[in-house]
């Protein structure tokens, strides 16, 4: 079991049929993610990052190829609630308050009242939204909504966290803060994390593995295993190692763009 | 048990003096005196009494004979057990200024007719006098008449169907002078068919318990009728008491009772076979699309009235 | 007894077949959308036939489906004339008139909050006028022919369409409206380019409900006065004559026409509101 | 509450047009009647007048205009006639009297409410079935549509007779008809509402691997709430209409429907109109109550009521 | 006219009433923006950036205070189509294709058919979406949708461009590319631009004026006039001047956060 990768994609293809022809969102994607990995996906917009994350979560069915999660199919894994998922847009339920939205997965998974309120409080604090639990989503700014949706995904302890650009709408300071928090959480809990981002420093700072993707057709062009230590203070970003990894990612990205 | 003494009667219209005999019998305790527990079910524009009878919703129904005979041919064996109405109250009421004076003048005119099984007398009549009912200059244009006399008042129709006891009076009530009108009574045209008779399902007549309660029912009903004929105002009052809509007015019901009395007068409840034969003859002459195709067998019986009137 | 058992057996078989078809790999095919309800309907008919025979139901009560089909075959010309009178002249005319009126009033009222909040309650009041009350009045006003039926239909379809057009035109997100405001777009561009397109899913909801109402309206109004042709006329007359097979023949025609009408509107809806989540 | 002024304005406009329309609508009957009582009328025969439009006739006979407002059986009763009749039969009679519209209102209301409850329950159940079961979706929906294309007035007597034969009388048969008419709008609206969650909202629940029951309570039901209330408003009017329709084949004894019918049959249009308006007012009141509940529910759910 | 600021906010306050008390989204905001300025707004999420931009565009009415745009009220300015606005979320109309969405403002402003198709093509190229004009919004990835909405705002030449985090969902490469394009456009056309961003380098690179905001209550804590030249190659980001401005912004931001 420890040998086997947590997530294993082999020869994945996914094609969308649209009004003017097929779109090859994923083409021959192969990737292994081990338990406890922190994997970042980076690539130009439209390269299939979201689509791939959705395939892992069993939200999208590949046209061909094979994918397994903990030895199960993504669908089965979904059914045993292996994932926490943060969507690219906040997607809060408008009829629930922020607290109610975070409580949603907990209700579904049958936590006790007391446990729920404790967890809600804890994750609200984590994303710096203490005191906002009684507000409705439309009363929050874009960034605050996005943070609430992160809190919602963190509230129950799934083994696998899939996050689709969770920090896109946040400023640098909050982002740094949340990056640190996320790393701590990851180190503490040994979660496996899939993380889509557009920020090269963020990808390098967080990941044990960086997957660079390229569009039309969407495919993986580079997989970089990070040599950074597990313990990562913020100023590691000035180390030469960090900068060299970042450069490799940047080159990969640029190559993807040139292709367009 | 209850079955032996309980009777439900399905009327063919809403509560009005047309059904005074039954309401009087109920109100005056004539049914009770016969040991009967009678329920009177009011009718209305969307109720086909034969169907209610077939469904077991009532023990007996009131119906016009053409409609009942037609139901019989359709496979619903209903039998006339009593005929409190001797004469027909059906007529056509026309505007005089349309130039109509005789039946021949109907050609090219528009005439309102009640359908719902009540169109047969009119159609037979027209076919007897050779006037087509498909419209055109040579025939009559038939309108399916609603439940009021507006088509006449608004002059959408030149003639409409009226009952002597009801709709005709309404035309007058609307302010029309009788001499503005020309009327054609079916009775006088020789095309009268029997109206409100009491009918039951044939199979029930094999049940002595049922027969016994019908005998008592008819006896009490006829007692009611005779009482109503003699006491028109009181009968109208009873109708008003039994009208749940609270919309009937007293004068109209008194007048209706007066006219109804003219139709029930001369009937002791027993069907006059000559009337039956005349009705059948009229219906059989119904042209290309007759109501009934053959003289009906067993469509009436004196079994009940014989016992009741003894 | 045999027939009763057969009835239950057919019932079970039909259900199983549909269960299988609906969950099978073909279930997304277009043909399935027709086949499944058809099988369902056919099952109902067969079960009906068996039960009527098995329980010996009197035909003045409930005729056999086979009698109804036979009657339809014999009376085709008359059924066709009734169809033209009631559906084509009465229902369709009324549907179009009522729809246009509702649309016009909704768009007019929508220009001011004041008018909308006044028109809607009064409109809902109108919708609650029961047909058995208005039909005699309209027959009195517009005569016994199809014009009065069209008027009844127009009144009946008016409200559902009105409500839906109004609700639909309000169903825009604040961002969509703000975008128009940044363009300094006036009334007409906002109406044509934002509010009407956004309202389409609602409008079609109203149009669909109105299709069935229009048939009921045209048919039922004929109960209160008509020429001697028309589906409502035939139904009430045949019912009075206990010719239940003819009554059901007309009901079948009404059901087919109504379903077809509904289906056509649904097809148009699919084309127009392809972008709405419920269509994807 | 802030909609009172607009509603009054629209009502005033309607009353104004109505009042104007009374003249041409009743002119012919009034002219006939006036001529009988000796007044001079042009043209001077009913047949010639029939060819003349009501407005023209009014212009030619201005002295008759006032009379169009007081006829006993007008084509279009004037607002004050209907108003007086309603006032008299609502407030002027003991509510237990057969001549009281309140009494008839209750007779009609009881089956309406029962039918609405049955219809709503049925509608919601069917909608849930349709949304969660493919077989139901494909086979029930088309037949629900078919059921509504069947003219209810044709079906009502058969339903009544069948129920009557089974020994069921009283409120229930009417409720069945009422439910028959009210379940459909609920099905249509609820199906739409239960399907209204967008992809992301659904996907979120899929990541939690909810079962159907949970996704119903947590997502589909809340997001269908606005649709549900919209349908309930249509459903309750439909239910009332159903009851009134059912009052004809149950022997038009009492209730608004019976009043309308009997008023019409015995040449008392004002009585019919009063019942008609009382019915519509009842429906409006019921719709109003549902709107109030809706307001509360939506506010509690943090949705800004439209 | 040249003397007078294009946008002039004086003592602006804006309070939202919510179910649990008032939210002071803007408090005593004063700002002058001159014609041809490129002004960036930066600050923690929820500090009122969006709200302030909406006030300028006349989409939100301040509770008190005064604001003028070209000497007009924001409402009047809106009516003479002074603005192009890019929302924080893409907000494309789902019933229109990408091309149709971009054509929308052009239709409203009465451009000719030919002119329209030319402009659509040009702006699609600008945001790197050539070939996508026939797709519907839901067939595009989040970043592509955002780019389409930028194209829509650029398609007609408004004098004032207001952009609410337009590049949030884009990767670094595209972002750099669009930053350059935007600067060129601005230099060429002398537009006045208001620009919300969370990226400090982006703010410094683009702006002539950087407005730092701070939340609860939302207010302006610092206004930095950039001393960078108008001509800005990408590598200006390594200049000491650039770094010192960035540091000042970062300090301002941090101060805002400390306050929380
Ligand atoms: N439902 C859909 N129908 C058709 N095409 C789609 C659909 N969803 C995505 N696509 C296409 O698939 C490709 C990959 O999309 P995806 O959302 O995975 O990109 P992404 O890498 O997440 O981009 P971004 O960074 O902008 O979010 C894009 O070209 C997009 O247009
Ligand atoms: N409609 C509203 N009702 C109530 N409060 C609101 C509303 N819109 C915004 N707010 C509040 O106003 C404050 C400022 O919001 P705003 O959207 O301007 O923030 P922002 O600076 O744009 O944040 P972000 O970077 O996250 O988009 C926030 O606290 C928010 O909760
Ligand atoms: C739908 C329908 N139409 C006509 C009649 C015939 N009819 C029999 S008694 C009666 C009352 C006359 O005042 C009338 C009209 C009916 N029974 N049902
Ligand atoms: Mg994406
Ligand atoms: Mg914002």
């Amino acid at each position: 079991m420890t040998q086997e990768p947590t997530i294993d994609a082999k020869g994945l293809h996914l094609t969308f049929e649209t009004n003017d022809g097929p779109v090859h969102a994923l083409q021959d994607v192969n990737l292994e993610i081990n338990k406890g990995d922190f994997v970042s996906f980076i690539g130009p917009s439209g390269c299939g990052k979201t689509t791939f994350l959705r395939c892992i979560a069993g939200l999208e069915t590949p046209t061909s190829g094979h994918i397994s999660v903990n030895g199960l199919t993504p669908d089965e894994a979904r059914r045993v609630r292996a994932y926490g998922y943060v969507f690219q847009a906040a997607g809060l339920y408008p009829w629930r308050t922020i607290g109610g939205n975070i409580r949603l997965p907990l209700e579904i998974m049958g936590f006790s009242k007391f446990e729920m309120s404790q967890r809600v409080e804890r994750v609200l604090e984590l994303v710096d939204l203490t005191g906002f639990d009684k507000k409705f989503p439309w009363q929050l700014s874009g960034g605050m909504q996005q943070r609430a949706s992160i809190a919602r995904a963190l509230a129950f302890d799934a083994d696998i966290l899939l996050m689709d650009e969770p920090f896109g709408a946040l400023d640098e300071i909050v982002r740094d803060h949340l990056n640190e928090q996320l790393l701590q959480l990851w180190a503490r809990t040994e979660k496996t994390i899939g993380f889509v981002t557009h920020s090269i420093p963020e990808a390098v700072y967080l990941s044990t593995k960086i997957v660079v993707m390229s569009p039309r057709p969407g495919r993986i062009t580079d997989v970089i295993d990070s040599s950074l230590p597990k313990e990562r203070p913020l100023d590691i970003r000035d180390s030469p190692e960090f900068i060299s990894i970042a450069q490799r990612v940047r080159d990969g990205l640029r190559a993807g763009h040139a292709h367009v | 048990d209850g079955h032996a003494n309980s009777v439900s009667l399905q009327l063919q219209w809403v509560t009005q003096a047309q059904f005074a005999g039954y309401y009087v019998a109920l109100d005056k305790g004539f049914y009770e005196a016969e040991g009967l527990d009678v329920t009177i079910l009011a009718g209305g524009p969307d109720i086909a009494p034969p169907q209610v009878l077939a469904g077991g919703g009532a023990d007996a129904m009131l119906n016009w004979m053409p409609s009942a005979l037609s139901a019989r041919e359709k496979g619903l064996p209903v039998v006339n057990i009593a005929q409190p109405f001797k004469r027909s109250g059906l007529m056509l009421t026309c505007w005089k200024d349309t130039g109509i004076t005789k039946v021949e003048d109907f050609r090219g005119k528009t005439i309102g007719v009640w359908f719902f099984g009540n169109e047969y007398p009119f159609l037979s009549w027209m076919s007897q006098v050779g006037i087509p009912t498909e419209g055109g200059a040579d025939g009559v244009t038939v309108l399916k008449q609603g439940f009021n006399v507006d088509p006449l008042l608004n002059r959408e129709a030149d003639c409409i169907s009226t009952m002597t006891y009801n709709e005709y009076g309404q035309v007058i009530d609307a302010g029309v002078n009788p001499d503005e009108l020309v009327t054609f009574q079916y009775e006088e045209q020789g095309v009268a068919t029997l109206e409100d008779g009491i009918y039951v399902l044939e199979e029930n007549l094999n049940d002595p318990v049922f027969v016994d309660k019908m005998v008592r029912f008819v006896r009490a009903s006829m007692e009611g009728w005779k009482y109503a004929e003699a006491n028109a105002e009181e009968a109208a009052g009873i109708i008003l008491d039994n009208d749940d809509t609270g919309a009937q007015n007293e004068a109209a019901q008194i007048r209706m009772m007066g006219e109804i009395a003219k139709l029930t007068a001369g009937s002791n409840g027993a069907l006059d076979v000559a009337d039956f034969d005349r009705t059948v003859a009229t219906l059989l002459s119904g042209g290309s699309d007759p109501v009934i195709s053959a003289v009906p067998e067993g469509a009436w019986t004196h079994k009940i009235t014989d016992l009741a009137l003894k | 007894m045999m027939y009763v058992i057969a009835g239950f057996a057919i019932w079970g078989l039909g259900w199983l077949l549909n269960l299988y078809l609906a969950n099978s790999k073909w279930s997304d095919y277009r043909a399935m959308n027709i086949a499944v309800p058809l099988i369902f309907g056919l099952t109902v008919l067969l079960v009906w036939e068996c039960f009527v025979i098995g329980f010996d139901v009197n035909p003045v009560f409930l005729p056999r489906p086979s009698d109804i089909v036979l009657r339809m075959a014999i009376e085709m010309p008359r059924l066709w004339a009734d169809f033209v009178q009631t559906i084509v002249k009465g229902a369709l005319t009324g549907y179009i008139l009522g729809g246009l009126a509702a649309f016009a009033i909704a768009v007019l009222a929508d220009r001011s909050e004041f008018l909308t909040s006044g028109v809607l309650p009064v409109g809902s009041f109108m919708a609650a006028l029961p047909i058995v009350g208005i039909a005699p009045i309209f027959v009195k006003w517009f005569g016994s022919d199809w014009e009065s039926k069209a008027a009844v239909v127009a009144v009946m379809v008016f409200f559902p369409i009105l409500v839906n057009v109004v609700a639909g035109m309000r169903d825009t997100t604040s961002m969509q409206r703000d975008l128009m405001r940044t363009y300094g777009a006036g009334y007409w561009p906002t109406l044509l380019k934002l509010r009407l397109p956004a309202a389409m899913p609602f409008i079609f909801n109203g149009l669909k409900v109105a299709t069935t109402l229009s048939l009921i309206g045209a048919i039922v109004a004929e109960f209160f006065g008509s020429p001697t042709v028309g589906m409502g006329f035939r139904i009430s007359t045949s019912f009075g004559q206990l010719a239940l097979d003819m009554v059901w023949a007309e009901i079948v025609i009404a059901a087919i026409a109504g379903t077809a009408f509904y289906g056509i509107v649904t097809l148009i809806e699919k084309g127009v509101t392809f972008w709405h989540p419920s269509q994807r | 509450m802030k909609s009172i002024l607009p509603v009054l304005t629209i009502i005033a406009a309607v009353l104004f047009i109505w009042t104007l329309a009374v003249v041409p609508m009743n002119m012919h009957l009034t002219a006939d009647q006036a001529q009988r009582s000796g007044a001079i009328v042009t043209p001077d025969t009913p047949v010639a007048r029939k060819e003349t439009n009501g407005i023209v006739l009014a212009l030619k006979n201005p002295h008759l205009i006032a009379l169009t407002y007081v006829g006993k059986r007008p084509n279009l009763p004037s607002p004050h006639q209907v108003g007086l009749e309603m006032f008299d039969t609502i407030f002027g009679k003991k509510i237990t009297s057969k001549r009281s519209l309140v009494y008839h209102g209750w007779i009609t209301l009881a089956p309406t409410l029962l039918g609405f409850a049955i219809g709503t329950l049925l509608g919601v159940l069917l909608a849930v079935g349709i949304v969660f079961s493919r077989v139901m979706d494909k086979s029930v929906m088309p037949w629900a549509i078919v059921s509504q294309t069947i003219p209810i007035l044709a079906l009502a007597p058969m339903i009544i007779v069948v129920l009557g034969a089974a020994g069921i009388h009283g409120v229930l048969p009417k409720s069945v008809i009422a439910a028959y008419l009210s379940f459909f709008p609920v099905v249509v609206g609820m199906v739409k509402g239960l399907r209204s969650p967008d992809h992301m909202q659904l996907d979120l629940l899929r990541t939690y691997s909810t079962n159907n029951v949970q996704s119903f309570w947590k997502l589909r039901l809340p997001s269908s709430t606005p649709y549900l209330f919209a349908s309930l408003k249509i459903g309750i009017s439909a239910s009332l209409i159903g009851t009134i329709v059912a009052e004809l084949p149950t022997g038009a004894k009492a209730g608004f429907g019976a009043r309308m019918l009997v008023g019409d049959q015995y040449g008392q249009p004002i009585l019919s109109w009063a019942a008609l308006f009382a019915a519509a007012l009842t429906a409006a009141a019921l719709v109003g109550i549902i709107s109030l509940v809706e307001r509360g529910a939506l506010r509690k759910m943090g949705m800004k009521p439209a």
Side-chain angles (χ1 to χ4, degrees), chain B residues 51 55 116 119-120 144 150 156, chain C residues 140 144 225-226 236 239 241:
Chain B
Q51 207 196 28
F116 208 75
E119 65 275 31
Y120 302 124
K144 174 197 146 106
D150 291 325
E156 194 194 352
Chain C
K140 176 157 46 183
S144 300
S226 68
S236 85
F239 181 64
Q241 299 170 346

Side-chain angles (χ1 to χ4, degrees), chain D residues 174-192:
Chain D
K174 294 184 200 175
S175 306
V176 169
I177 311 272
Y180 183 93
L181 282 195
S182 62
F183 90 91
F184 186 67
V186 177
V187 174
V188 172
M190 270 309 264
V191 167
K192 192 110 190 165

Side-chain angles (χ1 to χ4, degrees), chain B residues 12-13 16 18 45 64 114 116 118 147 163 166-167, chain D residues 265:
Chain B
Q12 53 173 341
W13 201 247
Q16 58 176 355
Q18 180 188 4
W64 287 2
W114 284 315
F116 208 75
N118 303 295
F147 315 116
M163 303 307 294
N166 185 6
E167 287 81 4
Chain D
Q265 217 236 318

Side-chain angles (χ1 to χ4, degrees), chain A residues 71-89:
Chain A
L72 308 169
T73 67
D75 249 13
E76 289 163 349
R78 190 159 53 69
R79 241 168 270 137
V80 297
R81 291 166 183 157
Y83 313 104
Y85 199 109
V86 179
F87 291 91
Q88 194 165 358

Side-chain angles (χ1 to χ4, degrees), chain A residues 138-144:
Chain A
W138 43 269
Q139 295 172 326
L140 260 56
S141 75
M144 294 157 95

Side-chain angles (χ1 to χ4, degrees), chain B residues 13 55 147-148 150 180 245, chain D residues 36 73 165 259 264-266:
Chain B
W13 201 247
F147 315 116
N148 55 41
D150 291 325
E180 289 177 79
T245 65
Chain D
R36 283 182 199 117
R73 40 174 309 153
R259 291 283 283 192
D264 180 52
Q265 217 236 318
Y266 296 93

Side-chain angles (χ1 to χ4, degrees), chain B residues 90-95 110-114 143 145 148-153 156-163 167-168 171 182 184 186:
Chain B
L90 187 59
M91 61 185 192
L92 287 186
T93 300
C94 310
W95 287 115
T110 300
I111 296 181
V113 176
W114 284 315
L143 277 188
Q145 181 177 329
N148 55 41
V149 298
D150 291 325
L152 189 75
L153 297 179
E156 194 194 352
D158 303 301
C159 310
I160 58 166
S161 302
T162 56
M163 303 307 294
E167 287 81 4
Y168 180 75
V171 176
V182 180
F184 298 85
Y186 281 54

